Amino acid sequence: MVFSSISFLCCFLPILLAVYYLTPRRFRRLRNDILLCASLGFYAWGGLRYLPLLLLCICINYVCGWFAAPAEGRGQGQRKAAVCLAVVAGIGLLFVFKYVNFFARTLNAVGATVPVPEIVLPIGISFFTFQGLSYVIDVYRGDAKVQKNPLNVALYIALFPQLVAGPIVRYTTVSEEILDRKESPGLFSEGTVRFCVGLAKKMVLANGMGKLADVSFSGSPQSLPALLAWMSAIAYTFQIYFDFSAYSDMAIGLGKMFGFHFDENFNYPYVSTSIREFWRRWHISLSTWFRDYVYIPLGGNRCSSAKRIRNFTVIWLLTGLWHGANWTFILWGIWYLLLLLGENYVWGGLSEKIPKALRYVLTMFAVMLGWVLFRADTVSQAIGMVSAMFGGGNALLNGETLYYLRLNIPLFVLCILGALPVKSLAERFLEAHHARRALLWLPKLWALGMLLVSYMFLATGSFNPFIYFQF
């Protein structure tokens, strides 16, 4: 089940909201149990046979968190062993379900004879594995109190708004709200507006751009006209942003409907003028997870240049692998590793002397090339796509190119506006002109309009994938 589906919008969510809010607020435990049951049902809808895996992950992290916490008579060795067990078990399960097939194929490619198991990737395993590990590690460090009630740990890991595609929510962010959150009409209204806007971003912008991107990426790129290849690359650049940020918007909005506050996951990454800035704005929950649980423990920036380069290498290889068991994702991670090392050690000082507009163009060019590698099914397809973008011996355009260009110009304009901080600028304008009352009703009217438009697209279309469900 996905958020942008009739079954979710017309059945699951309304029924859950009715049951949840008909339960008196003083019965906090019962409200939590309702949310937990709904979350497990939400996951089971998309993969019933993998529900035991989610429950196993919850049990492992609950037990390991219990033994990782400071307690009388519990030595440091016991606590470290509990953390190590959580890491080995969590990463081990992730490896079995996500990477065994890839490594078996790789070994066979270099001459080994290894059976290749057919393992279906469980939905959301990368996200709920990292959430569970963050709980155990934070308890061990003393950043979070151990949770004695296993149902509260289960609710944290399985909470349906962020279960299958993030954002990766830290336990410290929601620990108090699990026990004592304050639902309110105002917060519910904010959540509804955020959800509706995210739904429209998904249905109108992401899905529209996805159809155009698939024109080139679903076939052989060798015969593509250069302009069509560029259009498809730009389309995917918009698709992946609006697809993933829309899901994060909907998750944050749903969290607010039930009284939770999740951290932001995107901050207009396509206004960045450097790769470092881009990664401060893109998939913030994943970047900060790797920073806090891998990069800093390895020494972070407080070490020699050689060790810092090693730390960068580890982080970006892991980032690539986290996104998928394919050489395209590994090379995508290496691409960003090289770009960030270049900014830090090669051309960083020189880039400050370049006009900001040119820095922006160069950054977006590098990001777009990275997305081509990210989207391609194989390395050879990525090379062919880049070759087509730069001519590749083919024509600049053809009749098909002009058809897609005319058809999608309005959508490209909407995507450009959607990727810019137009909302913030509009709010500042209204505040500066003493029109704060408009800020109370304009977002609600806008959200209502977006909801109606989204329902129209849902009723008439079938192209509705979520890119990050595969991770």
Side-chain angles (χ1 to χ4, degrees):
M1 189 189 307
V2 297
F3 296 160
S4 55
S5 66
I6 296 295
S7 56
F8 179 84
L9 293 169
C10 297
C11 297
F12 181 89
L13 184 59
I15 293 172
L16 174 57
L17 287 170
V19 173
Y20 183 86
Y21 278 102
L22 286 173
T23 303
R25 183 181 296 179
R26 64 180 181 274
F27 298 119
R28 173 60 58 203
R29 179 68 266 161
L30 181 55
R31 280 191 170 187
N32 281 354
D33 291 342
I34 291 169
L35 264 185
L36 176 58
C37 290
S39 297
L40 296 176
F42 178 86
Y43 189 79
W45 183 286
L48 179 59
R49 61 175 171 164
Y50 290 115
L51 181 59
L53 176 65
L54 174 61
L55 296 174
L56 176 61
C57 179
I58 291 168
C59 292
I60 289 171
N61 287 293
Y62 171 73
V63 173
C64 291
W66 180 275
F67 285 101
E72 187 177 348
R74 190 174 297 158
Q76 187 72 4
Q78 280 183 300
R79 297 176 59 218
K80 283 186 177 180
V83 175
C84 290
L85 177 60
V87 172
V88 170
I91 300 301
L93 289 171
L94 188 61
F95 178 82
V96 168
F97 284 96
K98 192 169 184 177
Y99 302 108
V100 162
N101 187 289
F102 168 69
F103 281 102
R105 293 198 315 270
T106 302
L107 289 173
N108 288 337
V110 296
T113 305
V114 179
V116 180
E118 293 296 327
I119 301 175
V120 178
L121 181 66
I123 298 173
I125 187 171
S126 298
F127 290 95
F128 65 71
T129 297
F130 273 29
Q131 286 208 178
L133 289 178
S134 73
Y135 165 71
V136 177
I137 296 170
D138 284 349
V139 167
Y140 170 78
R141 291 175 173 178
D143 295 333
K145 293 182 179 179
V146 67
Q147 181 51 250
K148 297 180 181 180
N149 189 333
L151 296 179
N152 290 336
V153 176
L155 180 60
Y156 159 65
I157 295 176
L159 190 60
F160 81 91
Q162 42 73 41
L163 173 60
V164 295
I168 302 171
V169 178
R170 303 287 185 86
Y171 181 69
T172 51
T173 302
V174 296
S175 58
E176 293 184 2
E177 291 179 336
I178 288 175
L179 300 175
D180 184 27
R181 58 188 175 276
K182 306 295 183 185
E183 301 96 337
S184 68
L187 190 60
F188 187 92
S189 175
E190 288 179 26
T192 303
V193 169
R194 186 69 178 267
F195 179 87
C196 292
V197 171
L199 180 63
K201 285 169 63 175
K202 166 62 182 167
M203 296 306 302
V204 180
L205 302 182
N207 287 358
M209 286 289 98
K211 292 177 183 178
L212 178 57
D214 285 355
V215 169
S216 298
F217 283 104
S218 61
S220 174
Q222 279 72 22
S223 59
L224 281 177
L227 184 56
L228 184 57
W230 274 103
M231 284 171 55
S232 296
I234 295 170
Y236 185 73
T237 298
F238 282 129
Q239 181 197 4
I240 193 168
Y241 169 61
F242 287 115
D243 188 278
F244 193 21
S245 68
Y247 193 95
S248 293
D249 287 338
M250 287 187 276
I252 292 169
L254 287 167
K256 288 185 176 183
M257 290 184 197
F258 294 99
F260 291 95
H261 293 80
F262 302 152
D263 290 337
E264 295 293 336
N265 206 24
F266 291 88
N267 182 23
Y268 299 105
Y270 290 164
V271 302
S272 304
T273 58
S274 71
I275 299 300
R276 280 175 292 185
E277 183 184 1
F278 175 78
W279 277 101
R280 287 196 296 268
R281 294 173 175 272
W282 178 275
H283 203 343
I284 299 168
S285 63
L286 180 67
S287 302
T288 55
W289 198 98
F290 275 122
R291 180 197 66 196
D292 294 345
Y293 298 115
V294 182
Y295 185 72
I296 292 176
L298 285 174
N301 296 331
R302 298 182 178 181
C303 54
S304 65
S305 294
K307 288 185 177 179
R308 191 180 178 193
I309 292 172
R310 177 207 64 186
N311 298 345
F312 268 112
T313 303
V314 170
I315 287 296
W316 286 101
L317 287 176
L318 290 176
T319 300
L321 271 173
W322 183 90
H323 280 86
N326 195 318
W327 281 106
T328 54
F329 294 117
I330 295 172
L331 293 175
W332 175 78
I334 292 173
W335 170 248
Y336 277 105
L337 168 66
L338 296 175
L339 290 173
L340 287 165
L341 289 178
E343 284 190 354
N344 279 283
Y345 296 104
V346 182
W347 61 77
L350 177 63
S351 64
E352 295 300 321
K353 301 176 182 178
I354 298 175
K356 190 174 182 179
L358 180 57
R359 294 205 308 271
Y360 172 77
V361 171
L362 293 174
T363 299
M364 289 300 101
F365 176 74
V367 168
M368 198 179 306
L369 290 180
W371 288 137
V372 170
L373 187 58
F374 191 92
R375 171 61 178 82
D377 296 323
T378 63
V379 176
S380 60
Q381 186 188 44
I383 294 173
M385 187 69 180
V386 173
S387 174
M389 291 166 66
F390 290 94
N394 300 320
L396 176 63
L397 53 83
N398 58 9
E400 183 185 22
T401 305
L402 294 174
Y403 167 76
Y404 283 116
L405 181 61
R406 287 194 296 266
L407 185 66
N408 289 283
I409 282 178
L411 192 57
F412 275 118
V413 172
L414 288 176
C415 286
I416 291 170
L417 293 174
L420 298 174
V422 175
K423 175 177 174 289
S424 301
L425 294 173
E427 288 175 349
R428 292 176 192 170
F429 176 83
L430 291 173
E431 288 181 354
H433 289 77
H434 307 289
R436 292 183 179 178
R437 288 186 179 180
L439 292 174
L440 298 176
W441 55 268
L442 271 179
K444 297 177 178 63
L445 285 178
W446 176 255
L448 179 60
M450 292 298 97
L451 181 62
L452 293 175
V453 170
S454 299
Y455 269 112
M456 291 171 58
F457 275 82
L458 273 173
T460 58
S462 59
F463 183 84
N464 194 26
F466 264 114
I467 294 174
Y468 265 72
F469 270 34
Q470 64 184 298
F471 306 134

